[in-house]
Amino acid sequence: MSDRPVEKTLAEKAAASYECPSCGYIYNPAKGESRTNTPAGTAFEDLPLIWNCPVCSVDRVQFRNIGAADAPSGFEENLKYGFGVNNLSSNQKNLLIFGAIGLAILFFLSLYGLD
């Protein structure tokens, strides 16, 4: 077996975001929270135990980990390859893929307007 350490993707290295199950509010540690005066860079685990959702006041323990929000999903050494798609986050890739599919459907449906 290899003695090399297991390499992590950029999304695995980035701080995870947490979502409120009640209202859908997302706490992103890179941005912090202005309503509760939480500075940027504060990890979710470092928030006080009495911290609640700033939108609907749900307890902190009910938030669920949704992973890194804005980090590229690949490895750092692969970011220079491709047409720039490797630099996109998973949400941006989903928007690109499903947007292209939606656009293709619209083009197909527009063919019915031709005589």
Side-chain angles (χ1 to χ4, degrees):
M1 292 192 111
S2 174
D3 292 333
R4 289 178 41 192
V6 176
E7 192 173 358
K8 292 185 176 183
T9 64
L10 292 172
E12 292 171 336
K13 290 179 184 178
S17 297
Y18 289 80
E19 181 180 24
C20 175
S22 178
C23 68
Y25 167 78
I26 296 176
Y27 175 76
N28 187 347
K31 296 178 183 174
E33 174 55 47
S34 61
R35 290 177 241 177
T36 58
N37 295 327
T38 305
T42 304
F44 187 78
E45 295 80 17
D46 295 337
L47 292 172
L49 293 175
I50 60 170
W51 188 86
N52 294 332
C53 176
V55 176
C56 67
S57 300
V58 165
D59 289 336
R60 174 182 169 246
V61 295
Q62 294 183 11
F63 275 67
R64 60 179 170 245
N65 184 343
I66 58 170
D70 298 329
S73 57
F75 294 102
E76 189 169 3
E77 61 194 27
N78 294 336
L79 294 180
K80 61 185 176 210
Y81 298 110
F83 298 108
V85 179
N86 291 336
N87 291 323
L88 300 177
S89 67
S90 59
N91 290 337
Q92 292 169 330
K93 287 179 184 177
N94 284 339
L95 181 63
L96 182 67
I97 292 168
F98 292 114
I101 291 172
L103 192 61
I105 290 171
L106 285 175
F107 282 143
F108 178 74
L109 291 175
S110 70
L111 294 175
Y112 286 109
L114 298 176
D115 287 331

